[in-house]
Amino acid sequence: MELPPSIFVSHTAIKSMAQLLGTKPVLSTVLPVFIRGKYHPTSISVDSSSPYSPPKPLQIFTPSEHGIYPVILFFHGFYLYNYFYTDLLRHISSHGFIIVAPQLFNIMPPSGPDEVESAAKVADWLPSGLPSVLPGNVEANLVKLALVGHSRGGKTAFTLALGLANTNQNFSVLVGIDPVAGNSFCQINPKILTYIPCSFNISIPVTVIGTGLGPESKGCMPMPPCAPKGVNHEEFFNECKPPCAHFVATNYGHMDVLDDDPSGLVGRFSDCMCVNGKGPRDPMRRCVGGIIVAFLNNYFEGEKVDFMTIANEPYVSPVKLDQVKFNIEGCD
Ligand SMILES: *[C@@H]1O[C@H](CO)[C@@H](O)[C@H](O)[C@H]1NC(C)=O
Ligand SMILES: *[C@@H]1O[C@H](CO)[C@@H](O)[C@H](O)[C@H]1NC(C)=O
């Protein structure tokens, strides 16, 4: 990935000036990707019994303003509901994206292969089904189609990008949010990690966002970590081919991209299963949402400045980012 230095002049200048004066750098403006965008998202629920019969129930977020927008297919995590991500998805949609978030299980989580198969069916439904459920003034541009997933949904997104699912759809970019491929003992099927660097046969640009606390176990309870070493973001990044970027939110945990108070029993469960960050979740959601918006704008619109700024000056993010890396050394 090219990193032209010239466009960082302003931030870099502020930073060197601050160093000269011995103060912390203070940026005069917040990067716009980290705050709500100019569009007003509306949400649309489409259940499987609707006349447009999507293969799975969908939660859709779309700008309400007239326009043609890129599309994001978003996969929720293991045993989580798509509506637990409302705040994050609204943030992204407010920057001009249509988001389609299927609910991939009803009562019991499906097997790995079934989940991937359902995800592929939703991807294939998009060209015929999505236009019929969008407001009349909104058009989906499926030539710009992103795969994004959290946790096991991140792994599902990688599986589709690897071409291991039965879909005709082409994808343009891929984001894994704290992706997890299994537990400490085994990968869930279909197994995609090979433990060989650069081995993913994926030709589209990839961003992997990890959490620092995901690999930690919850205190005295006999709970396994939510994103164990060996099957988490680090290994997903290691197996990526360039262009691939890696960001780690050091002080946050696996569930911290969810809404503040996910409802119901499953919501309670999601709150206590993993080690959570001590800080409020809002900055973490804005950080993850902002990285995704900047990454997509980089590849879809050729707007490089925001993404490169986050990469080169990670302190502009609302939460602390570490291990910011581009590409793996040794990949061709
Ligand atoms: C995906 O790309 C291939 C090759 O460019 C093309 O033939 C095919 O029609 C595309 N599929 C869709 C669903 O657009
Ligand atoms: C990688 O994927 C491409 C296109 O999907 C395929 O043609 C190629 O054979 C694959 N390479 C390997 C090493 O599997």
Side-chain angles (χ1 to χ4, degrees), residues 84-103:
F84 289 177
Y85 299 88
T86 298
D87 193 76
L88 171 70
L89 300 184
R90 275 187 180 280
H91 178 104
I92 297 170
S93 182
S94 77
H95 287 272
F97 297 92
I98 297 168
I99 303 174
V100 179
Q103 182 58 43

Side-chain angles (χ1 to χ4, degrees), residues 177-178 208-216 233 246-254 256-257 275-278 281 283-288 291 314 317-324:
I177 305 169
D178 223 16
V208 180
I209 305 168
T211 62
L213 304 180
E216 289 191 7
H233 62 97
H246 191 208
F247 303 86
V248 181
T250 317
N251 299 325
Y252 280 86
H254 190 62
D256 287 325
V257 291
V275 178
N276 298 327
K278 295 200 167 48
R281 282 182 172 173
M284 174 61 174
R285 290 187 297 254
R286 288 191 291 110
C287 171
V288 170
I291 291 172
S317 153
V319 309
K320 189 173 184 305
L321 289 176
D322 280 316
Q323 298 182 45
V324 177

Side-chain angles (χ1 to χ4, degrees), residues 72-82 84-85 88-89 101 104 115 147-158 174-181 188 207 209-211 214 226-227 233 236 252-259 262 270 273-274 276 281 284 288 292:
I72 297 170
L73 197 47
F74 178 87
F75 303 121
H76 62 76
F78 177 68
Y79 205 51
L80 295 172
Y81 292 114
N82 52 4
F84 289 177
Y85 299 88
L88 171 70
L89 300 184
L104 294 176
E115 185 163 335
L147 286 168
V148 180
H150 169 236
S151 184
R152 177 157 152 176
K155 188 239 165 183
T156 298
F158 271 82
L174 167 65
V175 180
I177 305 169
D178 223 16
V180 178
I188 52 162
T207 282
I209 305 168
T211 62
C226 287
H233 62 97
F236 277 84
Y252 280 86
H254 190 62
M255 295 295 186
D256 287 325
V257 291
L258 270 51
D259 291 347
S270 78
M273 237 186 102
C274 311
N276 298 327
R281 282 182 172 173
M284 174 61 174
V288 170
I292 293 173

